[in-house]
Amino acid sequence: MVRELVNRGHRVTYVTTEEFVPAIETLREAVQHVAHDEELFTRVTDMQQNVREAGGAVTAAQAIEACLRDS
């Protein structure tokens, strides 16, 4: 698993133990399950645009938190 991540260009700064392999495999399966979902892709793209328009992730998170506090 670590070798695969490194081959994909990820920097691995910790040792992945066998304890985490099931979680990683579950995540991989979930990503593969939605990888070709056009509706989800459109919603994610829209969300990314909204985050950029809000001024970035931190500002967007602050705006969301403010809405949650006010509701």
Side-chain angles (χ1 to χ4, degrees):
M1 178 57 64
V2 173
R3 174 64 45 214
E4 181 179 337
L5 291 170
V6 171
N7 288 343
R8 291 181 181 192
H10 296 279
R11 291 178 17 183
V12 178
T13 57
Y14 58 89
V15 176
T16 303
T17 65
E18 293 301 314
E19 164 186 5
F20 296 109
V21 171
I24 293 168
E25 291 303 322
T26 300
L27 178 59
R28 176 182 290 138
E29 289 170 8
V31 169
Q32 289 173 344
H33 179 73
V34 299
H36 302 291
D37 183 331
E38 292 297 323
E39 182 181 335
L40 179 61
F41 179 79
T42 299
R43 293 192 339 247
V44 169
T45 302
D46 290 346
M47 182 191 66
Q48 290 172 329
Q49 183 63 33
N50 291 335
V51 168
R52 279 192 289 281
E53 289 173 0
V58 172
T59 304
Q62 290 168 343
I64 292 168
E65 290 172 349
C67 287
L68 293 173
R69 279 193 303 271
D70 295 342
S71 60

